[in-house]
Amino acid sequence: MVTVSKLIRDTMSSSAAIHIVHPHDFDPGTTQTPGSERRAAIAPALGIASAIWGGVFEVAPGSRTGIHHHGEQETIAYVLSGICEIRWGARGESVAQAKAGDFIHVPAFLLHMEINPSTLEPFRWVVVRSTATPIVVNLPDDSWP
């Protein structure tokens, strides 16, 4: 059995390091959903080996994303600014609103879309996903009535 003190010693003697990733270094090269922009901050593409992915997500004023899901990934988001309406379910029948300061949990494989009801400001989230590389499966817009 490995002890906590052995894990700490092993980490201290390894090449483990803390990474600071500044906004101008965020990577927009991640899979996108129409109507939004995702930028990776913690990801293998940025040279950071991690079991989880982290980044930012933004939807412009008056815009909405396409219908999508994230496969086997769970998603946790923290709303930095703005207001977002989220629809989910097999036919988009469930609706909730999140605003700055709220946390959001999106279960694996759940179909959803985000809508920005504001005509003046975008909404912005910090997003953490349960795998190192984000999974985005976009569906046709006519998937929901």
Side-chain angles (χ1 to χ4, degrees), residues 88-124:
W88 73 92
R91 299 171 52 83
E93 66 277 8
S94 298
V95 180
Q97 196 170 76
K99 63 183 182 333
D102 291 341
F103 272 92
I104 301 163
H105 174 255
V106 180
F109 295 103
L110 183 69
L111 292 177
H112 63 283
M113 75 173 355
E114 297 87 4
I115 302 163
N116 187 345
S118 172
T119 58
L120 302 175
E121 66 176 307
F123 72 74
R124 293 184 180 99

Side-chain angles (χ1 to χ4, degrees), residues 3-131:
T3 65
V4 172
S5 55
K6 179 171 176 4
L7 288 172
I8 293 170
R9 278 194 313 276
D10 289 351
T11 299
M12 289 175 62
S13 64
S14 76
S15 61
I18 290 176
H19 297 273
I20 307 296
V21 183
H22 302 287
H24 63 271
D25 294 324
F26 292 175
D27 180 13
T30 187
T31 305
Q32 302 294 331
T33 295
S36 64
E37 181 182 10
R38 293 182 184 93
R39 290 171 294 188
I42 307 300
L46 293 168
I48 301 172
S50 176
I52 57 177
W53 180 93
V56 293
F57 175 73
E58 182 173 313
V59 173
S63 295
R64 67 175 184 86
T65 69
I67 303 162
H68 63 285
H69 68 81
H70 300 286
E72 66 197 36
Q73 290 181 317
E74 289 188 65
T75 300
I76 295 174
Y78 177 77
V79 182
L80 286 173
S81 63
I83 296 173
C84 174
E85 180 179 291
I86 306 165
R87 288 182 61 193
W88 73 92
R91 299 171 52 83
E93 66 277 8
S94 298
V95 180
Q97 196 170 76
K99 63 183 182 333
D102 291 341
F103 272 92
I104 301 163
H105 174 255
V106 180
F109 295 103
L110 183 69
L111 292 177
H112 63 283
M113 75 173 355
E114 297 87 4
I115 302 163
N116 187 345
S118 172
T119 58
L120 302 175
E121 66 176 307
F123 72 74
R124 293 184 180 99
W125 297 357
V126 171
V127 177
V128 177
R129 299 249 163 79
S130 62
T131 65

